[in-house]
Amino acid sequence: MKAYERDAVAKEAEFTPREIEVFASVMLHGTTTKAADALDITQPAVSKMLQHLTEKADFQLFRKSRQRLIPTPEAHMLYAEVQRVFESARGISRAAREIRELRSGRLNICALPAFGSTILPSIITSFSKQHPSVSISLDIRSSATVVQRAGRNQLDIGIGVTSSEENPSIVRRALTATPPVCVMPAGHPLSQLAVIQADDLDGLDFISMGSADPMRRQLDSLCEKRGVSRLLKVEASLSGACIALAASGAGVTVVDRLSAWMARDQPIEIRDFRPHLDLNLSVYRPWGVIASTAADAFTEHLIQTTRSFMNGVDAGIAALGSK
């Protein structure tokens, strides 16, 4: 090949992955015959690719000495770069394997307080024991914020109250029903009843959830329709705060059963409330975003664990009313 032709090849052609593989094998084994055996190809094929690589590099790679190929200093420099590329490829393979096996990854989870501050920590803990290399970030926010962040692709998994409004930016999956219960101070006259009806709240000191709470709006509407007049003495934005107020004797309250059950060791009484108000929880994800393997695995673990736990909660609350 003439000099100007060789220069054109060097400028325009790039090394192919196979040529780089052949070069590395020759560097490692010292002869084209051994390199061919290692790559399971013929010795002439190795020699031909090595010649192409030399022409593309436009400098001498090897010198022959007693049937062996002695690498030039330039070849050693090129081989050092090839080794870095191979190590990067091995790193990519390791990363793919770890992602596939859930040994790495990160989950950004956002949940409403009634769930995120009660059962969710134990669910995260049990998942982390199974997949210790998956890092998890937990943020406690209102259901409205959970839905908003899901729609903006600012989380991997969100848990919030099921919204009646359709949002094309999110994907929703039913998690569990958590119909409210009535919580009262220990020894309260209402504790004599197995089930608390809305009419039983008439004339009682009542602790309300915040005005924006969807369950609060349902309860207010129900009491208005039935002519039930509660004495709205205190309002709190969190179920836990309403329960603590009830435990201190401030009045009775109606909150989600999960929060009430988790606080059952406080000086309170818990009774089922009828009619059941519509209070369901859902899992939210951004629409159009392919969930990671870790997100899929956590979602299945979340749903299975939550539903099993809530079956126990329902049975426990029923037992309290039968005493």
Side-chain angles (χ1 to χ4, degrees), residues 18 21-27 29-50 69:
R18 190 57 166 169
E21 187 179 25
V22 166
F23 169 69
S25 186
V26 173
M27 288 291 292
H29 297 286
T31 69
T32 55
T33 300
K34 291 182 179 179
D37 291 340
L39 296 173
D40 197 23
I41 58 177
T42 65
Q43 185 273 336
V46 170
S47 297
K48 186 176 181 179
M49 276 188 274
L50 203 59
L69 295 176

Side-chain angles (χ1 to χ4, degrees), residues 62-115:
F62 298 96
R63 295 187 179 91
K64 289 186 179 180
S65 177
R66 298 180 182 181
Q67 305 302 316
R68 290 188 64 84
L69 295 176
I70 307 301
T72 63
E74 291 83 0
H76 281 293
M77 294 171 62
L78 183 61
Y79 186 53
E81 189 63 31
V82 168
Q83 286 180 308
R84 282 193 289 271
V85 172
F86 281 3
E87 181 57 35
S88 296
R90 285 191 289 269
I92 293 172
S93 297
R94 285 195 299 270
R97 184 171 61 253
E98 290 174 354
I99 291 171
R100 183 173 62 251
E101 298 173 358
L102 293 182
R103 295 212 312 247
S104 66
R106 181 176 180 82
L107 290 177
N108 181 8
I109 301 173
C110 188
L112 77 162
F115 192 85

Side-chain angles (χ1 to χ4, degrees), residues 1 3 5-16 19-20 23 48-62 72-79 82:
M1 180 179 288
E5 293 175 334
R6 187 170 60 250
D7 289 342
V9 169
K11 291 178 180 178
E12 296 178 5
E14 295 183 352
F15 300 157
T16 67
E19 289 170 347
I20 295 172
F23 169 69
K48 186 176 181 179
M49 276 188 274
L50 203 59
Q51 180 182 353
H52 288 167
L53 187 66
T54 301
E55 291 171 354
K56 291 178 181 180
D58 197 23
F59 54 77
Q60 194 69 26
L61 292 173
F62 298 96
T72 63
E74 291 83 0
H76 281 293
M77 294 171 62
L78 183 61
Y79 186 53
V82 168

Side-chain angles (χ1 to χ4, degrees), residues 197-259:
Q197 301 283 342
D199 295 343
D200 298 323
L201 302 178
D202 191 64
L204 297 182
D205 291 340
F206 192 81
I207 305 161
S208 291
M209 293 288 293
S211 58
D213 184 81
M215 189 273 295
R216 158 76 183 271
R217 291 197 294 267
Q218 289 185 60
L219 182 59
D220 286 352
S221 177
L222 175 64
C223 289
E224 183 178 355
K225 288 179 180 178
R226 296 198 174 189
V228 175
S229 179
R230 299 161 294 160
L231 303 179
L232 305 180
K233 291 294 187 70
V234 186
E235 181 179 296
S237 60
L238 300 177
S239 297
C242 290
I243 295 169
L245 286 162
S248 67
V252 302
T253 189
V254 174
V255 295
D256 69 279
R257 62 182 50 216
L258 177 57
S259 296

Side-chain angles (χ1 to χ4, degrees), residues 176 304-317:
T176 187
Q304 181 180 355
T305 305
T306 300
R307 291 177 180 175
S308 176
F309 185 85
M310 290 306 297
N311 287 336
V313 171
D314 293 341
I317 290 174

Side-chain angles (χ1 to χ4, degrees), residues 90-154:
R90 285 191 289 269
I92 293 172
S93 297
R94 285 195 299 270
R97 184 171 61 253
E98 290 174 354
I99 291 171
R100 183 173 62 251
E101 298 173 358
L102 293 182
R103 295 212 312 247
S104 66
R106 181 176 180 82
L107 290 177
N108 181 8
I109 301 173
C110 188
L112 77 162
F115 192 85
S117 300
T118 53
I119 186 179
L120 186 55
S122 64
I123 294 175
I124 290 175
T125 299
S126 59
F127 181 83
S128 294
K129 288 180 179 178
Q130 297 175 30
H131 310 289
S133 294
V134 177
S135 60
I136 298 176
S137 171
L138 173 61
D139 196 9
I140 308 297
R141 297 289 173 179
S142 67
S143 291
T145 300
V146 170
V147 174
Q148 184 183 69
R149 289 188 177 182
R152 294 177 178 175
N153 192 19
Q154 295 175 334

